[in-house]
């Protein structure tokens, strides 16, 4: 029984020592020595160990997962996931694909895909891969990137350029009026940054319309999270912080339509009044004609 427990104990001790890394304590050094003694005692030949090739693939996936997790965490606020993490995400996809395609040696028991992906109930590698894929899909990063996901699309770069220009304009005008004006007076910001903000807002609305027309997925109503978050930040600054508003470009049509709707009741009642008078005249005329005809008949009858 003791010899049967040696492999498990040795694996546990080695795993503990490897997890801590270079910051070793005397207790961990003792654990390493004990583990070496246990390994030297001999392990059964049928223990399902990973081949060096499979172990290398698993280590690469672990490093890729750590890099992508760090990237997502650092770019959570303000949201810059799609801009900064598409490289680590593509590399992780390639690493997972290498595991799924790798076969190790010809023996089925040493198949890398089987050993790493499906050899236990937890399937941690599959779970991690699904988590990253679902996060990336929920962020709609594909809408920000080129078809091969190698970089940002032209429309996204144009939007981000206008976004940066808008923030620069806000900052520049705030610095210029910080001394002369009260904190709640942002007239210069509204006046000087109106053109840049209008272009940014129009481009965002255009991208939304194009996305709704061309998208068929459940997330098609949304742009990528980077663009949405940038537009939300800008709109909050423009409307809530600076209390600015966009002038309506359709003023003349709006006034015309409003005037037409306002005069509709007058036109309706006037037409009703004229129609009723005309109807009365039509009803009176037959009575006069009929009475004259009766008089003529009476005269002819008694003549």
């Amino acid at each position: 029984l003791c010899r049967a427990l040696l492999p498990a104990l040795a694996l546990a001790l080695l795993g503990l020592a490897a997890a801590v890394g270079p910051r070793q304590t005397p207790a961990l050094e003792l654990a390493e020595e004990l583990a070496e003694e246990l390994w030297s005692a001999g392990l059964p030949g049928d223990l399902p160990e990973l081949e060096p090739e499979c172990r290398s693939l698993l280590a690469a996936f672990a490093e890729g997962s750590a890099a992508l997790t760090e990237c997502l965490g650092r770019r959570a606020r303000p949201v810059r996931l799609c801009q900064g993490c598409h490289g680590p995400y593509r590399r992780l996809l390639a690493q997972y694909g290498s595991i799924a395609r790798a076969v190790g040696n010809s023996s089925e028991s040493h198949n890398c895909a089987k050993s790493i992906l499906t050899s236990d109930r937890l399937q941690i590698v599959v779970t991690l891969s699904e988590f990253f894929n679902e996060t990336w899909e929920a962020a709609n990063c594909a809408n920000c990137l080129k078809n091969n996901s190698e970089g940002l699309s032209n429309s996204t770069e144009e939007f981000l350029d206008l976004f940066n220009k808008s923030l620069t304009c806000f900052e520049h005008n705030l610095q210029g009026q910080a001394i002369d004006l009260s904190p709640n007076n942002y007239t210069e910001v509204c006046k000087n940054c109106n053109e840049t903000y209008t272009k940014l807002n129009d481009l965002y609305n255009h991208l939304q319309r194009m996305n709704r027309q061309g998208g068929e997925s459940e997330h098609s109503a949304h742009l990528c999270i980077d663009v949405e978050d940038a537009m939300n930040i800008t709109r909050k600054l423009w409307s809530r912080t600076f209390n600015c508003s966009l002038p309506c470009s359709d003023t003349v049509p709006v006034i015309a339509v409003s005037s037409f709707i306002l005069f509709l009741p007058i036109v309706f009642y006037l037409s009703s009044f004229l129609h009723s008078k005309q109807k009365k005249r039509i009803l009176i005329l037959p009575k006069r004609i009929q009475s004259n005809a009766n008089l003529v008949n009476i005269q002819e009858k008694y003549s």
Side-chain angles (χ1 to χ4, degrees):
L1 178 60
C2 294
R3 184 172 181 79
L5 293 175
L6 287 178
L9 182 57
L11 288 172
L13 291 172
L14 283 177
L16 180 61
V20 175
R23 294 178 297 177
Q24 294 181 345
T25 64
L28 288 176
E29 292 178 356
L30 179 61
E32 285 187 351
E33 294 177 0
L34 180 58
E36 291 178 0
E37 294 178 1
L38 292 173
W39 279 106
S40 62
L43 290 171
D46 58 349
L47 189 67
E49 277 294 294
L50 288 176
E51 290 185 350
E53 177 188 359
C54 301
R55 189 179 293 111
S56 176
L57 292 173
L58 181 58
F61 180 84
E63 292 175 0
S65 299
L68 182 56
T69 301
E70 181 183 8
C71 183
L72 295 176
R74 289 183 178 275
R75 290 165 174 78
R77 292 303 310 164
V79 181
R80 299 293 184 269
L81 306 184
C82 305
Q83 301 173 57
C85 300
H86 61 87
Y89 178 71
R90 289 177 60 243
R91 286 191 290 271
L92 188 69
L93 286 181
Q95 290 160 354
Y96 183 84
S98 298
I99 293 175
R101 292 189 300 268
V103 295
N105 60 16
S106 58
S107 175
E108 184 179 355
S109 61
H110 291 284
N111 185 305
C112 289
K114 180 178 179 181
S115 301
I116 296 175
L117 302 181
T118 61
S119 61
D120 57 82
R121 177 178 60 83
L122 189 57
Q123 299 181 7
I124 189 64
V125 173
V126 177
T127 302
L128 286 174
S129 178
E130 290 177 351
F131 166 75
F132 289 124
N133 289 334
E134 291 171 1
T135 302
W136 198 256
E137 183 180 354
N140 273 352
C141 288
N143 291 339
C144 283
L145 305 175
K146 297 177 182 178
N147 292 334
N148 53 7
S149 299
E150 291 183 353
L152 297 176
S153 62
N154 294 334
S155 59
T156 303
E157 289 183 347
E158 181 183 1
F159 175 86
L160 294 176
D161 180 62
L162 283 174
F163 170 69
N164 292 328
K165 288 181 179 178
S166 298
L167 295 185
T168 302
C169 183
F170 294 163
E171 183 180 3
H172 175 74
N173 285 274
L174 285 175
Q175 291 175 351
Q177 69 176 25
I179 300 176
D180 301 329
L181 299 177
S182 62
N184 294 326
N185 191 346
Y186 299 105
T187 307
E188 293 298 318
V189 177
C190 300
K191 182 177 68 174
N192 297 333
C193 302
N194 178 73
E195 181 180 357
T196 306
Y197 177 78
T198 302
K199 289 181 180 179
L200 179 70
N201 191 66
D202 291 344
L203 178 59
Y204 180 80
N205 293 334
H206 172 71
L207 293 176
Q208 272 194 322
R209 288 192 299 270
M210 296 297 293
N211 187 57
R212 287 169 181 164
Q213 292 174 2
E216 298 180 356
S217 65
E218 58 180 311
H219 301 291
S220 60
H222 299 281
L223 297 172
C224 76
I225 189 64
D226 292 26
V227 172
E228 287 184 342
D229 186 69
M231 194 68 232
N232 289 338
I233 291 174
T234 313
R235 283 176 173 173
K236 287 179 181 178
L237 288 173
W238 182 259
S239 59
R240 296 184 185 179
T241 304
F242 305 139
N243 198 24
C244 303
S245 60
L246 285 177
C248 183
S249 59
D250 301 327
T251 304
V252 175
V254 169
I255 294 176
V257 173
S258 301
S259 302
F260 175 75
I261 296 175
L262 181 64
F263 282 102
L264 271 180
I266 300 175
V267 175
F268 172 76
Y269 285 115
L270 182 61
S271 62
S272 299
F273 175 74
L274 295 175
H275 180 70
S276 61
K277 289 191 66 175
Q278 184 68 23
K279 191 173 183 181
K280 287 181 181 179
R281 290 178 183 177
I282 295 173
L283 291 174
I284 291 172
L285 287 175
K287 290 183 180 180
R288 290 180 180 177
I289 295 173
Q290 186 177 2
S291 61
N292 292 335
N294 290 336
L295 290 174
V296 171
N297 291 335
I298 292 173
Q299 289 178 356
E300 291 177 354
K301 185 177 181 179
Y302 289 99
S303 62

